[in-house]
Amino acid sequence: MVETSAANKPRSTRKAVIPAAGQGTRFLPATKAVPKELLPVVDKPALEYIVEESAAAGLDDVLLVTGRGKSAMVDHFDRRPDLEQSLEEKGKTKELNAVRRSSEIASISTCRQGEPKGLGHAVLCGATHVGNEPFAVMLGDDLIDARDPILPTMLDIQAEHGGIVLALLEVPREHINRYGIVAVESTGRTGDGAHLGDIVRVASMVEKPEPDDAPSNLAIIGRYVLPPEIFDAIRETKPGAGGEIQLTDAMASLLADGTPVHGVVFQGRRYDTGAKIDYLKATVLLGVDHEDLGSEFKEWLVDYVRNDLA
């Protein structure tokens, strides 16, 4: 079993950091003027899904780590009195509520990553805002379905044991070199709900290994709960894979120094929007479940597949 000496310790995590400084080159020319994070997935920007997930887990203090040309991300979560007034005058209540909601989800702050030096460096940019408390890191390429939450469980584990908590996913062998990969030990515990698998101790981790060198097929996906000590670890981390400062390398150094690292194996609905084909898949998967559009879209999709792709 996982140690229980700190069981029932109240959560101290209240902040989330969302690194969003990338140039979105895989989506050019669409991202020439529009940040990748604002590309719509059905009817909301991908970034709004992430902020909603953060707020739903009780993390309503959100820091966006942005880059040059990304001010529109902050604008999206700001008020638009002129637009709100126009919608109200036209009686478009549903649209009005949607516009207002985006500015009420969470308290949004921003800081600038001056140059792209890797995920570790992007997280380090949040040090002043985060201060001396645990915090979550949420990557905008990974959309976790609201019906399959993992972040609350991760926050509970961090409150209980301290240290680092990672979201893990079994990936195909051919995808191993895209991720940080971990070796794990059983704790004898599982998460609550069919969408959560084992809760494990992480024994080691490596960034983007070749399949033959990987310790497992358990990959770190885009949800982390980190202690404030990660900032000093990042400062001491040399550039690694891809010539960038890797968050995985900084976490590995804390692990080697005795920081506890746990993982939660995710088995629920996750939508990868980091590449064009996966973005299209995410749009379809979320589209068929959409409250207003799903039924009609699913009917059209079935007819299209049956008659036009047969």
Side-chain angles (χ1 to χ4, degrees), residues 133-197:
E133 62 183 76
F135 65 104
V137 172
M138 307 173 70
L139 304 189
D141 287 346
D142 274 328
L143 302 189
I144 301 296
D145 197 297
R147 295 166 292 184
D148 296 334
I150 186 173
L151 197 53
T153 297
M154 296 174 65
L155 294 170
D156 288 342
I157 293 171
Q158 206 283 334
E160 185 177 348
H161 304 292
I164 296 168
V165 185
L166 306 172
L168 305 175
L169 180 73
E170 292 188 24
V171 298
R173 174 181 170 83
E174 62 269 22
H175 293 173
I176 281 176
N177 62 3
R178 303 179 186 179
Y179 295 91
I181 302 294
V182 299
V184 301
E185 302 168 351
S186 175
T187 67
R189 288 176 57 180
T190 58
D192 293 332
H195 65 287
L196 298 179

Side-chain angles (χ1 to χ4, degrees), residues 42 281-291 293-295 297-298:
V42 188
K281 292 177 183 178
T283 300
V284 171
L285 290 168
L286 284 167
V288 296
D289 284 337
H290 192 276
E291 181 180 3
L293 307 172
S295 178
F297 179 58
K298 186 184 297 185

